[in-house]
């Protein structure tokens, strides 16, 4: 594990990976998505401020509860002067994400409870399927099964 001197103002990508528990590839990905940022040395090596540790922890915690990275990026971008999120920021943001998570939980419970009703091929009954056609939404908008796009077949040879 790369050692970080206690007085070092910046971390290498390896040091940040070791300290945060995130893979180097994940850190590069986070940077490409605007979740963390680095500066470059004269030799073009990445250097991260110590605040990157908290930002990575914030991103990983949000990911663990299913928050999309785009939502996390927007939340980080909304912080005053791009500062590192603190406990109050997490509390405020997580409260806002709670509704979305509750809705996903309801969807997963419905999926689990009705999974045995589905045979996995599009469904036996489009009128009663709560997975692919909740509330018979398709029946009210159109007639027939139109869940899958129609495939055009090439004309038969010699015909």
């Amino acid at each position: 594990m790369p050692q970080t001197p206690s007085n070092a103002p910046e971390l290498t990508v390896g040091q940040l990976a070791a300290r945060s528990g995130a893979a180097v590839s994940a850190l590069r990905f986070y940077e490409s998505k605007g979740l963390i940022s680095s500066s470059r040395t004269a030799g073009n090596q990445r250097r991260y401020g110590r605040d990157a540790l908290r930002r990575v922890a914030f991103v990983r915690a949000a990911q663990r509860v299913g928050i999309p990275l785009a939502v996390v990026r927007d939340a980080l971008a909304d912080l005053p002067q791009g500062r590192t999120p603190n406990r109050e920021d997490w509390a405020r943001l997580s409260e806002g994400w709670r509704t979305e998570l509750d809705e996903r939980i309801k969807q997963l419970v419905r999926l689990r409870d009705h999974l045995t009703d589905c045979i996995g091929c599009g469904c036996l009954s489009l009128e009663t399927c709560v997975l692919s056609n909740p509330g018979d939404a398709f029946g009210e908008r159109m007639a027939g099964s139109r869940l899958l796009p129609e495939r055009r077949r090439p004309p038969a040879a010699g015909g």
Side-chain angles (χ1 to χ4, degrees):
M1 174 191 304
Q3 296 298 310
T4 306
S6 59
N7 62 351
E10 295 183 312
L11 302 169
T12 66
V13 69
Q15 291 168 332
L16 181 58
R19 296 271 311 271
S20 68
V24 169
S25 58
L27 296 174
R28 290 184 179 133
F29 179 75
Y30 292 164
E31 189 171 353
S32 75
K33 297 299 180 186
L35 298 163
I36 59 175
S37 62
S38 67
S39 59
R40 297 292 181 136
T41 66
N44 203 31
Q45 295 176 332
R46 289 178 167 89
R47 293 292 185 266
Y48 296 90
R50 290 192 168 283
D51 65 321
L53 283 167
R54 181 171 294 231
R55 290 177 82 83
V56 170
F58 181 90
V59 169
R60 295 184 80 202
Q63 279 186 296
R64 276 193 294 276
V65 297
I67 305 302
L69 287 179
V71 173
V72 175
R73 182 191 61 231
D74 292 346
L76 289 170
D78 284 345
L79 293 175
Q81 299 159 354
R83 72 170 165 73
T84 301
N86 58 31
R87 182 183 303 263
E88 292 79 25
D89 295 323
W90 178 261
R92 179 179 45 79
L93 292 166
S94 63
E95 184 62 35
W97 295 334
R98 184 180 211 84
T99 303
E100 180 182 336
L101 291 174
D102 286 343
E103 184 56 37
R104 278 199 236 156
I105 290 168
K106 285 181 197 173
Q107 290 172 350
L108 287 171
V109 167
R110 186 172 66 233
L111 174 63
R112 181 202 62 206
D113 292 348
H114 295 284
L115 190 58
T116 56
D117 298 338
C118 182
I119 62 169
C121 68
C123 210
L124 289 174
S125 172
L126 289 177
E127 290 179 8
T128 61
C129 183
V130 296
L131 300 178
S132 61
N133 188 22
D136 194 22
F138 287 107
E140 295 192 14
R141 291 195 318 236
M142 62 186 83
S145 174
R146 306 215 191 241
L147 294 178
L148 300 175
E150 292 183 29
R151 292 186 184 169
R152 296 193 179 249
R153 295 186 180 167

